[in-house]
Amino acid sequence: MRVSPNLLERTPVIEPLSYSQLPQALALRPSVTAVIGSGGKTTTLAALAHLIAAGKLASPAGKRPRIILSTTTHIRPFPHTPLFTRDNPVELGQALAEHGTVCCGTPVEDGKLAASPIAAAELARLADYALLEADGSRGLPLKAHAEHEPVIPLEASTLVVVVGAHGFDQPIEAVVHRPALACEQLNASPSDLATAEFAARLLLAELPRLTQDRPQLKTISVLITHVDSEARREQAEQFQRAWHAPVLAVDHVREQLMRLR
């Protein structure tokens, strides 16, 4: 797949940000945040919970924020985070008061967690910030979505779409979850490269369906992860040119964050 000539005409403006600004840059608000996509959802959720707990976002009346980490699909429990698996909102409220941050879910096979037995609306009532992983990607850096995906709760006011830059310029069949759907969507072949432009065009094609009938959704942000080299930064710029809107690029390991616009 060739990059369109017009995408090379403009170089995005790069705005370095402090890593601690990640929650603000993603426009998180006290409510439900759904994180979808591929290539770093769990790491991003853990980082957001840590930064919010450290006071990087305002909490009601200046109190310690109450944070719930959970899923609408499947996740592994977050290390060093108290785990709550019961269907008892009163006890969950007590756990939040004691610990501040709690991981909620229903134990399933392989040590994973499915959705909490407590509804998302109740999680939002109990916590200041309910951070939910709402998608699956089998550990691959990019993905196309089936009709039943993602599982964004109606209560979500913020949507974060994660895109793994470590999948760029690799064969679609090797780095895209549901490669046949991606190829069908963009008239590509499995052996074609999943360029940054390809990833942006795929998301643009999917986003209207992914977000329809979500009346509470106020903010949609794209976060490109694994931007850990000059080459990856250039690929993130290619994504932004095709996306035609600001995106965030992050290296969680080095705690580096930038906005491309």
Side-chain angles (χ1 to χ4, degrees):
M1 174 176 288
R2 287 193 312 119
V3 176
S4 303
N6 64 321
L7 295 179
L8 301 176
E9 294 176 357
R10 177 185 171 277
T11 300
V13 175
I14 300 175
E15 178 187 357
L17 301 173
S18 168
Y19 186 75
S20 65
Q21 292 178 276
L22 183 61
Q24 298 99 314
L26 292 172
L28 264 62
R29 52 174 57 83
S31 181
V32 175
T33 294
V35 178
I36 69 169
S38 50
K41 296 187 300 294
T42 303
T43 301
T44 297
L45 283 164
L48 290 172
H50 173 76
L51 291 169
I52 295 169
K56 304 307 179 182
L57 274 182
S59 58
K63 297 180 180 178
R64 179 174 69 168
R66 299 165 298 167
I67 305 161
I68 287 176
L69 288 162
S70 190
T71 183
T72 60
T73 56
H74 292 88
I75 56 171
R76 293 198 177 278
F78 288 82
H80 315 299
T81 303
L83 180 60
F84 188 89
T85 61
R86 296 182 295 280
D87 184 10
N88 190 317
V90 173
E91 291 183 4
L92 175 56
Q94 293 170 345
L96 286 166
E98 179 178 358
H99 301 290
T101 302
V102 176
C103 176
C104 297
T106 301
V108 291
E109 69 281 353
D110 299 327
K112 294 184 178 181
L113 298 172
S116 171
I118 301 174
E122 186 68 5
L123 296 181
R125 186 186 70 80
L126 291 167
D128 300 309
Y129 298 91
L131 310 177
L132 308 184
E133 184 166 321
D135 211 351
S137 58
R138 302 277 178 92
L140 291 168
L142 304 170
K143 79 165 292 179
H145 290 86
E147 284 296 323
H148 63 280
E149 299 174 314
V151 188
I152 303 172
L154 290 173
E155 294 80 10
S157 65
T158 305
L159 181 67
V160 177
V161 186
V162 174
V163 179
H166 54 308
F168 294 158
D169 294 334
Q170 304 297 317
I172 293 170
E173 58 194 351
V175 295
V176 178
H177 181 40
R178 307 195 191 285
L181 290 177
C183 291
E184 179 182 359
Q185 187 79 260
L186 296 186
N187 192 28
S189 298
S191 59
D192 288 346
L193 298 184
T195 63
E197 179 189 354
F198 174 92
R201 290 176 55 215
L202 179 62
L203 183 55
L204 282 169
E206 290 188 323
L207 198 59
R209 179 185 66 81
L210 303 186
T211 57
Q212 67 183 0
D213 300 324
R214 293 291 182 274
Q216 301 299 320
L217 201 56
K218 300 292 190 291
T219 306
I220 301 172
S221 299
V222 174
L223 179 68
I224 305 174
T225 61
H226 297 268
V227 183
D228 52 11
S229 66
E230 184 69 15
R232 294 265 174 86
R233 183 188 59 76
E234 291 175 355
Q235 290 168 329
E237 291 181 22
Q238 293 168 11
F239 183 103
Q240 192 280 325
R241 284 194 291 264
W243 183 248
H244 301 299
V247 301
L248 294 166
V250 68
D251 177 359
H252 284 302
V253 175
R254 294 185 177 90
E255 296 191 349
Q256 295 176 344
L257 178 66
M258 66 186 78
R259 180 183 286 112
L260 308 178
R261 51 185 174 84

